Amino acid sequence: MEDTEPGKAHAAAEPGPPAPDDESRTGGAGGATKKKKRLRRTRRIALTVLLVLLVPLLTAEAALRVTYMGDPADGTYTRNRDAIWLGHAWVDGRKTDADLAAFARRVRTTGIRDLYVHTGPMEHDGTLPKSLYPRAHWLIDAVHRQLPGVRVQAYLGDVLATESPDGMRLERAATRAAVVDSARQVLDVGYDGVHLDLEPLHSGDRNYLSLLDDVRAVTRARDAQLSVAAHQIDPLPGFHSFWGTVAGHPKWWSQAFFGQVARRVDQVAVMSYDTMQPLESLYGGYVAQQTALALEATPPTTHLLMGLPFYHENRFGHWNHAETVAAAVRGVRLGLSRTDADRERFGVAAYIDFAATEEDWTSYRDGWVR
């Protein structure tokens, strides 16, 4: 209703400040102030979140850099218990006598005593087609002849259905029983052991521990080795749970679970590569940390091996300029020096033969074999 009270007409005609609701809608001075306040609040929240994420990360990276400093202890070199992963070409017919002779010349004067030869992959149901390894007899006999004392283990792997609908399901008893049968199958061929690499394997998987118990009963009865490729250990307690929530891929094992695995096998080889570290010094410090954590969790009766990156990729998880054999070897020696310098059942494991360069072999020899 229009105000007609005497004396009010002029006042009503004078322009006054718009109502707050009108001001915000028309972009007046008050609305601009509110927008600025919201923007400042958003920036403060973003900065806080960034600091919450970056400060622990930068602190951890600085700690790795410090871990890489110092000198390894005298005598922290090969114990002649090293290993190397070999590609499938060694058993499917692509490799020849000449190839093996050249390989034998290369490794004869190193500390390599175990060959993890890719003989799978297994089917998702745990079975292993015999057609995959027609030249296994030839390889085993030739290695035993040309490299006395070197063991040939069947490297059996598969993708687990832990992070996708496709893959091997260890929760199925029939699948685990089939894997055990596959282990018997390769031992019947003449392999000196079974090397299992099942990924991605989440920390605390009781079905995996049960499988290891069953396979080891078979290998022990044959006086053969049971070895496994192991995930890295939590760099911080419970980190696998945090990363699993954030990224959907836990990646790490708890140190306790690593110990449970290590007590069930003859050899445990840590896949200490694909670490996301951007600098060589940080990668070396990370390997030193992983070596110390693995030594703490592995009983002295189990043979512990730390992985060396004999391959070259550039992606978020693996920076070729950072993950070098030289840095890994130095990190291994530092971790060994500080934790258990006299550990006898200890070595390094190179991944993988077909991608290795002369520089990789030289770094291994100069840094570790001596």
Side-chain angles (χ1 to χ4, degrees):
M1 178 181 295
E2 183 180 357
D3 188 356
T4 58
E5 184 179 351
K8 296 287 184 74
H10 178 69
E14 290 181 355
D21 288 345
D22 291 336
E23 184 179 49
S24 61
R25 285 196 297 268
T26 59
T33 300
K34 287 188 175 182
K35 288 181 180 179
K36 289 180 180 178
K37 287 181 178 180
R38 284 198 298 268
L39 182 60
R40 285 197 296 267
R41 184 166 58 249
T42 301
R43 286 174 176 171
R44 284 197 298 269
I45 292 172
L47 180 60
T48 300
V49 171
L50 186 62
L51 289 175
V52 167
L53 294 175
L54 280 183
V55 170
L57 175 62
L58 293 176
T59 301
E61 295 293 82
L64 293 181
R65 180 65 184 87
V66 171
T67 302
Y68 195 58
M69 298 170 65
D71 297 319
D74 292 337
T76 51
Y77 303 115
T78 185
R79 278 81 165 124
N80 293 316
R81 292 178 177 273
D82 303 332
I84 185 169
W85 281 277
L86 300 183
H88 200 82
W90 288 100
V91 294
D92 68 4
R94 283 176 284 170
K95 293 292 186 178
T96 65
D97 290 334
D99 293 318
L100 183 60
F103 177 76
R105 286 193 298 271
R106 183 182 288 281
V107 305
R108 191 172 284 121
T109 56
T110 69
I112 292 175
R113 296 296 180 270
D114 282 283
L115 311 180
Y116 303 142
V117 184
H118 191 267
T119 308
M122 291 179 286
E123 300 292 328
H124 292 340
D125 63 2
T127 59
L128 178 67
K130 293 182 179 180
S131 59
L132 291 178
Y133 50 92
R135 294 273 283 167
H137 274 300
W138 163 79
L139 177 66
I140 296 165
D141 291 346
V143 168
H144 289 167
R145 184 173 60 254
Q146 296 191 41
L147 294 169
V150 173
R151 293 178 294 212
V152 185
Q153 300 193 41
Y155 162 16
L156 305 180
D158 193 23
V159 175
L160 297 179
T162 50
E163 298 174 14
S164 71
D166 297 322
M168 181 181 289
R169 297 184 178 276
L170 291 182
E171 67 272 19
R172 295 175 179 171
T175 299
R176 299 197 303 274
V179 173
V180 175
D181 286 340
S182 294
R184 291 193 185 94
Q185 182 177 316
V186 294
L187 293 178
D188 288 342
V189 174
Y191 280 102
D192 300 304
V194 176
H195 178 78
L196 293 178
D197 179 17
L198 303 175
E199 305 177 46
L201 182 64
H202 292 181
S203 185
D205 192 323
R206 303 300 305 179
N207 294 310
Y208 180 65
L209 298 180
S210 176
L211 173 65
L212 294 181
D213 289 336
D214 293 342
V215 175
R216 196 173 192 192
V218 172
T219 56
R220 275 182 167 174
R222 305 285 191 93
D223 194 25
Q225 296 287 296
L226 171 58
S227 60
V228 295
H231 287 35
Q232 296 158 30
I233 301 172
D234 277 339
L236 298 171
F239 196 70
H240 68 280
S241 297
F242 165 77
W243 194 257
T245 301
V246 171
H249 171 50
K251 183 177 175 66
W252 292 271
W253 288 352
S254 72
Q255 191 180 36
F257 183 68
F258 186 95
Q260 291 176 315
V261 171
R263 289 190 291 274
R264 286 172 163 81
V265 299
D266 300 296
Q267 299 178 337
V268 55
V270 184
M271 296 180 285
S272 41
Y273 34 75
D274 293 347
T275 65
M276 298 180 284
Q277 296 303 321
L279 300 175
E280 195 172 20
S281 59
L282 299 180
Y283 172 61
Y286 183 87
V287 173
Q289 179 198 58
Q290 287 292 307
T291 301
L293 291 171
L295 283 166
E296 291 170 358
T298 304
T301 52
T302 299
H303 178 188
L304 172 65
L305 302 105
M306 301 302 298
L308 303 181
F310 271 40
Y311 67 102
H312 305 272
E313 296 178 358
N314 274 306
R315 49 185 171 78
F316 175 71
H318 180 102
W319 301 111
N320 188 52
H321 65 273
E323 297 200 14
T324 65
V325 175
V329 167
R330 176 174 164 78
V332 166
R333 293 189 62 211
L334 287 168
L336 182 64
S337 301
R338 296 164 180 162
T339 312
D340 191 354
D342 297 323
R343 178 73 68 108
E344 181 61 26
R345 295 179 180 273
F346 183 86
V348 297
Y351 183 88
I352 188 168
D353 72 304
F354 58 76
T357 65
E358 287 300 325
E359 183 180 358
D360 296 331
W361 283 104
T362 299
S363 296
Y364 162 63
R365 288 177 177 276
D366 292 351
W368 180 247
V369 178
R370 295 295 173 101

